[in-house]
């Protein structure tokens, strides 16, 4: 078996730890075919050995259908050839499988971790997916400065310092961070802002910073505040409160009433943090609590984050692709994908026994670099905390079901109003923004059954449409949006004529699952505009040949502008419809229109802001920021650079003769 470096999405040592190979490549038709799937799997089994690793099921196009791990790859993959013993879900997966990719690992625990990483990377349709696009926020107390900064942090933990979290939301982080600033007076400004200060900023005036930037506090005293902050965030809040109470009493005895009042305010901030976070988790230390609820074919997982005996928030997850999967397996999959991004605490409490609990403990311990223990609490305070998590999981799931029912009803009403055969699963909404034709931007937002799909939003810098022609701008946006689909459709037609062309050979821009957003047709297009914009869109769709495949509607202000709701909906055949003022469907469509309006205006403002700071020197090829700065510092303005002679350009500091010649030739192309 040929070996190639595989690695993992986040592990730089992957090339040393894993070996990957394409174990079989079976060209077959893309339609579901159990015999073809079993044949591809059997061809793979012949090449496998009884070693731990991860396998990927691929369809005819090469997209990942499923990611699994195994203690023995040969035995585990061979099970998929026993069709009678597979569930309906796995039979459907096998019927679409045409090839497999194999990664061998050193242990089953490594395979379990790699499986979670690859699931988050490829998002296969037959795996349980933790659908949570946002990273979790942390509080970072940096250690790379003489006066450390405290601030909110998301993303990779590359900066040196102490990370405290995760917090359930940005709101909970901001609330805690504001109170911590009042409590410890630590700076939150960036290093560049800190270095430029010659007087205290407003945070010092409102007693949320000790102003180390201008020497209002010594490095030793600031270090004492940092040490107190670390103790407090590590759960030693009682020690910090005792110190503050002692200092306040001493200041009062010495008649230092202003100091005593400041210490009193800091003590109140400490009490506020504890009061807003405490849920009777004394003695628990650092721990996470997971509870699962299931109802109506939907599963919800509630997670509580306890750090230092304090509750740092809770989050509800609603994993996808859970049909025909046991609840304990769903909970285990959610936890592993969650800890792919967040470091696990020493204790993880769950509300049920998990399959392969010892293996999960070993995998999480490897991630954390210390022992991690999973347990099901049965009595005492931990059991009461688990009961609270279970109650929250049930309530969150009931709210989710209510929202889903409401959205499903709106989908049915939308289909009836627009005369569609079924509720639309993908809605694309379009709008343009410009000022008298300048800095024109188009935008597309996407909505599905569960709400807005923000990862699929698109912006279009309008280039071809001239002047103040909204109709031409809309034509350009639509042409560019569906150009990729038209190109792929032509390739599909050519491929159907050429029986020797392999399936899945199309090379296009694809998302994380291998399918380009531009090659997905929406069920409904909603245009922010009237008859003119609608006719422009229909002309483009007719030219491409998909006008009959997509429902298109225009929404425009009616006779009574404003929020009274008198919008008029324009149909391609010239008909117009209106909805009652208090109709929930009208509010839903207005929400779609307002979202694209918000998005396109934001893009337009960003483009204008960028243009304000632009310089004519940016247009000169080969002139970077450093050389542009050198020219402006020497000549003062871009117009003087343009008027300068070649000899003057060569005398500018930091500008070589070659660069001077480039600048001169750019402005004097005619000689």
């Amino acid at each position: 078996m040929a070996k190639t470096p595989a690695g993992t999405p986040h592990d730089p040592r992957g090339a040393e730890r894993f070996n990957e190979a394409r174990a079989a490549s079976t060209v077959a038709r893309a339609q579901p075919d159990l015999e073809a799937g079993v044949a591809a799997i059997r061809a793979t089994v012949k090449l496998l050995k009884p070693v731990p690793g991860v396998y990927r099921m691929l369809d005819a196009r090469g997209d990942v259908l499923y990611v699994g791990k195994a203690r023995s790859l040969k035995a585990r993959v061979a099970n998929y050839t026993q069709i009678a013993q597979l569930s309906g879900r796995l039979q459907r997966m096998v019927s679409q499988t045409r090839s497999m990719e194999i990664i061998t690992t050193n242990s089953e625990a490594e395979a379990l971790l790699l499986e979670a990483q690859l699931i988050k990377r490829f998002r296969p349709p037959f795996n349980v997916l933790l659908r949570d696009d946002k990273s979790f926020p942390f509080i970072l107390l940096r250690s790379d400065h003489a006066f450390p900064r405290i601030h909110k942090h998301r993303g990779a933990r590359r900066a040196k310092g102490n990370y405290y979290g995760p917090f359930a939301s940005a709101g909970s982080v901001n609330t805690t961070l504001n109170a911590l600033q009042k409590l410890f007076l630590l700076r939150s400004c960036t290093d560049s802002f800190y270095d430029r200060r010659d007087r205290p900023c407003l945070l010092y005036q409102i007693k949320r910073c000790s102003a180390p930037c201008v020497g209002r506090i010594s490095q030793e005293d600031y270090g004492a505040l940092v040490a107190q902050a670390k103790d407090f965030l590590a759960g030693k809040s009682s020690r910090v409160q005792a110190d503050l109470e002692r200092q306040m009493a001493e200041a009062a005895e010495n008649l230092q009433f202003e100091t005593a009042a400041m210490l009193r305010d800091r003590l109140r901030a400490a009490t506020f943090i504890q009061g807003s976070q405490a849920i009777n988790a004394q003695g628990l230390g650092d721990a996470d609590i997971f509870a699962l609820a299931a109802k109506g074919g939907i599963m919800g997982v509630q997670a509580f984050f306890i750090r230092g005996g304090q509750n740092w928030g809770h989050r509800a997850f609603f994993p996808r692709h859970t049909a025909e999967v046991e609840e304990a397996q769903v909970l285990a999959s959610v936890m592993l994908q969650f800890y792919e991004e967040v470091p696990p605490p020493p204790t993880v409490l769950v509300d049920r026994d998990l399959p392969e609990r010892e293996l999960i403990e070993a995998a999480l311990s490897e991630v954390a670099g210390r022992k991690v223990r999973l347990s099901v609490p049965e009595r005492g305070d931990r059991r009461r905390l688990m009961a609270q998590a279970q109650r929250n999981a049930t309530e969150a799931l009931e709210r989710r079901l209510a929202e889903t029912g409401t959205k499903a009803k709106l989908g049915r009403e939308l289909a009836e109003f627009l005369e569609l055969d079924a509720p639309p699963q993908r809605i694309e909404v379009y709008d343009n923004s410009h000022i008298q034709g300048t800095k024109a931007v188009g935008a597309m937002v996407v909505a599905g059954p569960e709400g807005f799909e923000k990862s699929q939003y698109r912006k279009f810098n309008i280039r071809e449409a001239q002047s103040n022609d909204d109709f031409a701008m809309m034509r350009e946006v639509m042409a560019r949006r569906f150009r990729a689909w038209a190109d792929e459709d032509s390739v599909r037609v050519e491929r159907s004529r050429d029986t020797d062309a392999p399936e899945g050979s199309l090379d296009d821009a694809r998302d994380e699952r291998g399918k380009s957003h531009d090659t997905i047709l929406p069920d409904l297009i909603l245009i922010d505009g009237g008859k003119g914009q609608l006719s422009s869109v229909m002309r483009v769709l007719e030219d491409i040949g998909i006008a009959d495949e997509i429902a298109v509607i225009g929404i425009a202000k009616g006779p009574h502008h404003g929020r009274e709701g008198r919008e008029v909906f324009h149909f391609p055949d010239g008909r117009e419809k209106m909805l009652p003022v208090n109709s929930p469907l009208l509010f839903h469509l207005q929400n779609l229109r307002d979202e694209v309006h918000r998005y396109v205006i934001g893009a337009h403002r960003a483009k204008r802001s960028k243009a304000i700071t632009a310089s004519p020197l940016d247009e000169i090829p080969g002139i970077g920021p450093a050389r542009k700065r050198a020219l402006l510092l020497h000549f003062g303005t871009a117009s003087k650079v343009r008027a300068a002679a070649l000899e003057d350009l060569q005398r500018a500091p930091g500008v070589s003769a070659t660069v001077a010649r480039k600048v001169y030739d750019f402005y004097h192309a005619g000689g």
Side-chain angles (χ1 to χ4, degrees):
M1 188 187 311
K3 296 182 178 180
T4 59
T8 70
H10 309 296
D11 192 345
R13 299 175 297 143
E16 304 171 3
R17 299 169 60 191
F18 308 117
N19 292 312
E20 179 178 17
R22 173 68 67 90
S25 181
T26 303
V27 177
R29 60 193 182 95
Q31 295 298 322
D33 188 333
L34 267 175
E35 293 183 1
V38 171
I41 294 173
R42 283 176 176 164
T44 302
V45 172
K46 295 178 181 179
L47 305 175
L48 297 180
K49 297 179 180 179
V51 296
V54 174
Y55 56 91
R56 279 179 270 177
M57 305 285 196
L58 309 179
D59 63 11
R61 181 177 173 137
D63 296 341
V64 179
L65 294 171
Y66 181 78
V67 176
K69 62 88 186 170
R71 180 184 304 172
S72 170
L73 283 169
K74 191 175 187 67
R76 182 70 185 93
V77 175
N79 289 339
Y80 291 102
T81 62
Q82 308 299 318
I83 297 299
Q85 300 177 12
L86 300 179
S87 64
R89 166 175 158 272
L90 293 181
Q91 288 184 15
R92 292 193 299 273
M93 180 191 71
V94 171
S95 70
Q96 298 179 41
T97 300
R98 296 296 179 268
S99 62
M100 294 185 65
E101 289 182 349
I102 306 298
I103 304 176
T104 60
T105 61
N106 296 323
S107 66
E108 190 178 5
E110 285 187 355
L112 188 63
L113 294 176
L114 181 58
E115 177 193 34
Q117 293 172 359
L118 295 178
I119 288 173
K120 286 184 70 71
R121 177 181 177 185
F122 292 108
R123 305 188 68 80
F126 288 93
N127 282 100
V128 174
L129 297 182
L130 173 59
R131 191 178 182 193
D132 190 76
D133 299 332
K134 294 184 178 179
S135 60
F136 285 84
F138 287 74
I139 287 179
L140 170 59
L141 182 56
R142 302 187 65 132
S143 60
D144 54 358
H145 195 279
F147 295 91
R149 171 193 179 199
I150 188 170
H151 61 99
K152 180 174 66 177
H153 176 83
R154 283 187 188 270
R157 293 181 290 277
R158 298 190 182 95
K160 295 181 179 180
N162 300 90
Y163 292 85
Y164 302 95
F167 286 80
S169 65
S172 60
V173 170
N174 292 336
T175 300
T176 303
L177 197 56
N178 289 339
L180 288 173
Q181 288 177 319
K182 296 176 183 177
L183 175 57
F184 300 111
L185 307 179
L186 301 182
R187 73 179 184 94
S188 59
C189 57
T190 62
D191 291 348
S192 59
F193 183 85
Y194 175 92
D195 294 336
R196 294 197 305 267
R197 299 304 300 178
D198 55 8
R199 60 177 180 173
C201 66
L202 182 62
L203 289 179
Y204 174 77
Q205 306 296 335
I206 62 176
K207 297 182 175 59
R208 283 178 51 183
C209 181
S210 53
C213 52
V214 292
R216 297 296 175 91
I217 186 173
S218 67
Q219 185 173 347
E220 181 180 357
D221 292 340
Y222 192 89
L225 294 176
V226 170
Q228 284 185 340
K230 290 180 178 179
D231 287 343
F232 188 89
L233 290 169
K236 302 174 183 177
S237 56
S238 57
R239 178 192 304 176
V240 174
Q241 286 181 298
D243 288 343
L244 290 175
E245 290 175 354
R246 177 182 53 79
Q247 294 175 23
M248 183 177 66
E250 290 179 356
E253 289 180 2
N254 296 330
L255 304 181
Q256 298 173 347
F257 298 117
E258 291 185 2
T259 302
M262 183 187 66
L263 292 169
R264 178 203 60 201
D265 294 340
R266 292 177 58 191
L267 192 59
R268 287 177 178 173
T271 305
F272 169 80
I273 296 174
Q274 289 184 315
S276 62
Q277 295 179 343
I279 59 167
N280 193 26
Q282 294 89 345
L284 191 56
D286 294 347
D288 288 339
I289 305 172
F290 290 89
L292 182 143
K295 184 179 180 181
I298 300 180
M299 297 187 190
V301 176
Q302 187 77 31
F304 278 81
F305 311 124
I306 310 298
R307 296 296 181 269
Q310 300 176 8
N311 176 25
W312 282 4
H314 55 90
R315 176 82 68 89
F317 304 100
F318 300 96
R320 302 175 63 187
H321 308 159
T322 58
E324 301 181 52
V325 183
E326 295 182 0
E327 294 179 4
Q329 183 61 52
V330 170
L331 182 58
S333 298
V334 167
M335 288 174 51
L336 287 168
Q337 293 178 51
F338 173 78
Y339 287 124
E340 162 63 16
E341 181 178 323
V342 175
T347 302
V348 178
L349 304 181
V350 292
D351 65 342
R352 66 198 69 207
D353 289 326
L354 300 182
E356 302 178 318
R357 180 181 61 83
E358 295 181 355
L359 177 61
I360 296 175
E361 286 182 338
L364 296 182
S365 298
E366 181 174 336
V367 171
R370 48 173 165 67
K371 180 66 176 177
V372 175
R373 183 171 179 271
L374 271 66
S375 64
V376 181
E378 298 179 352
R379 62 181 67 87
D381 291 338
R382 295 190 175 192
R383 179 58 201 166
R384 284 191 288 273
L385 286 172
M386 180 56 69
Q388 183 177 356
Q390 290 174 322
R391 184 169 61 254
N392 277 267
T394 301
E395 293 173 354
L397 182 59
E398 290 176 349
R399 289 193 298 270
R400 178 77 168 193
L401 288 171
E403 293 173 0
T404 302
T406 301
K407 290 177 181 177
K409 182 180 178 182
L410 283 174
R412 292 191 297 268
E413 292 179 355
L414 179 61
E416 182 179 355
F417 176 70
L418 300 181
E419 303 170 10
L420 306 178
D421 295 332
Q425 300 300 302
R426 179 184 174 94
I427 303 174
E428 294 183 359
V429 195
Y430 293 87
D431 192 15
N432 298 326
S433 181
H434 60 91
I435 294 180
Q436 296 297 317
T438 62
K439 306 295 183 291
V441 179
M444 173 190 82
V445 304
V446 181
E450 298 183 2
F452 291 110
E453 303 283 349
K454 295 192 175 182
S455 63
Q456 299 187 33
Y457 286 15
R458 278 194 61 183
K459 292 178 288 187
F460 303 84
N461 287 317
I462 296 175
R463 310 184 187 97
E464 300 173 5
Q466 301 295 323
S467 186
N468 195 14
D469 192 342
D470 283 334
F471 305 152
M473 293 178 186
M474 186 59 70
R475 284 196 299 271
E476 178 180 342
V477 168
M478 300 305 293
R480 288 166 59 188
R481 159 63 180 93
F482 292 103
R483 185 181 300 153
W485 188 92
D487 293 343
E488 180 172 328
D489 188 56
S490 64
V491 173
R492 284 196 295 267
V493 172
E494 293 298 326
R495 183 187 294 147
S496 65
R497 296 173 181 170
D498 183 4
T499 56
D500 295 330
E503 292 284 347
S505 60
L506 181 66
D507 182 17
D508 58 7
R510 296 174 180 171
D511 65 4
E512 59 197 358
R513 281 189 49 198
K515 185 177 291 184
S516 171
H517 296 314
D518 287 343
T519 61
I520 302 174
L521 288 183
D523 300 304
L524 171 65
I525 292 177
L526 182 63
I527 303 298
D528 184 14
K531 295 180 180 179
Q533 285 86 352
L534 184 61
S535 62
S536 298
V537 171
M538 294 306 300
R539 192 180 311 166
V540 174
L541 300 183
E542 288 169 358
D543 292 341
I544 297 175
I546 57 176
D548 296 333
E549 301 183 37
I550 307 173
V552 185
I553 201 77
I555 177 173
K557 296 291 186 183
H560 303 287
H561 288 201
R563 295 299 300 178
E564 294 87 355
R566 305 309 295 170
E567 274 80 359
V568 177
F569 298 91
H570 298 272
F571 286 71
D573 58 6
R575 289 178 299 146
E576 297 179 0
K577 285 187 177 182
M578 299 180 71
L579 285 166
V581 175
N582 295 323
S583 168
L585 179 58
L586 176 61
F587 296 152
H588 176 58
L589 291 170
Q590 286 176 334
N591 187 38
L592 295 176
R593 189 268 316 278
D594 292 345
E595 173 66 5
V596 72
H597 197 59
R598 177 199 65 80
Y599 186 61
V600 74
I601 287 179
H604 176 61
R605 287 174 176 168
K607 191 172 183 179
R608 283 178 15 222
S609 298
K610 185 177 180 180
I612 290 173
T613 59
S615 167
L617 300 181
D618 295 334
E619 301 175 3
I620 306 176
I623 303 299
R627 287 167 176 167
K628 183 179 73 172
R629 190 182 306 110
L631 288 168
L632 290 175
L633 286 174
H634 182 73
F635 290 99
T637 64
S639 60
K640 292 183 178 179
V641 175
R642 179 173 185 168
L646 177 61
E647 294 77 10
D648 295 331
L649 292 171
Q650 292 174 343
R651 284 195 290 268
V655 178
S656 64
T658 303
V659 172
R661 171 58 68 178
K662 284 183 180 180
V663 175
Y664 185 82
D665 290 345
F666 180 81
Y667 287 121
H668 303 82

